[in-house]
Amino acid sequence: MKKFSHNHYNPKLKEYARELRTETVSKAEKYMWKGLLSRKQTGERFLRQRPITNFIVDFFAPEIGLIIEIDGNSHWNKGDYDRYREDKLVSLGYTLIRFTEGDVIQNLDVVSERVRHVIYALRNKDSGYDS
């Protein structure tokens, strides 16, 4: 079931996404990547800094169409843009969940539980389960 196999990938943003993965990774993104999003822990393959249409999302699980965003200080004045971005991605069929950097760093267990719940709901979507 590869519903999102090429998932609106934008190769024009590939180099910028690579730069974000290697040079500007936040502490919260490191926590998520190393402490929560391994396939061994979630059963899903996650990609970091994935270009989708004109956006680069923090984490993306292509098999189930899940996008996870971590909002740091740079998001404080971008509420309207974040809403626009989220609306566009959701209109393409993706599920998007957000966490603040503080939530990830201070409450990784709570974040982990929410991510696991959403993964479960998306896997079971066709069977009538709603999150």
Side-chain angles (χ1 to χ4, degrees):
M1 177 189 100
K2 285 195 176 190
K3 181 178 177 186
F4 295 94
S5 61
H6 277 285
N7 54 61
H8 306 95
Y9 179 75
N10 183 347
K12 293 176 184 173
L13 294 176
K14 182 179 178 179
E15 288 303 316
Y16 183 54
R18 181 176 289 141
E19 182 181 315
L20 289 174
R21 277 194 303 272
T22 58
E23 297 178 21
T24 61
V25 179
S26 73
K27 185 176 181 179
E29 287 174 358
K30 287 179 187 175
Y31 272 45
M32 286 287 284
W33 186 246
K34 295 181 184 243
L36 175 60
L37 296 180
S38 73
R39 188 182 301 220
K40 190 176 190 179
Q41 291 175 298
T42 64
E44 292 296 327
R45 178 175 144 247
F46 277 89
L47 305 169
R48 293 183 303 147
Q49 302 300 334
R50 182 69 173 183
I52 298 178
T53 68
N54 295 321
F55 311 112
I56 297 177
V57 302
D58 292 334
F59 301 101
F60 178 58
E63 300 288 329
I64 58 174
L66 174 60
I67 294 170
I68 300 173
E69 290 284 277
I70 300 176
D71 295 340
N73 296 344
S74 68
H75 289 263
W76 286 356
N77 296 320
K78 295 183 180 176
D80 290 339
Y81 176 73
D82 282 346
R83 172 58 58 195
Y84 162 78
R85 192 173 177 266
E86 184 171 337
D87 289 347
K88 286 288 186 186
L89 292 165
V90 168
S91 76
L92 294 172
Y94 299 110
T95 298
L96 190 145
I97 56 175
R98 295 185 171 281
F99 301 101
T100 65
E101 282 188 334
D103 284 341
V104 173
I105 292 168
Q106 297 168 6
N107 300 308
L108 192 60
D109 290 343
V110 173
V111 170
S112 174
E113 185 60 35
R114 179 151 180 238
V115 169
R116 289 180 214 282
H117 174 77
V118 172
I119 288 171
Y120 177 84
L122 290 171
R123 285 181 183 153
N124 293 288
K125 197 175 190 176
D126 295 331
S127 67
Y129 178 85
D130 287 326
S131 55

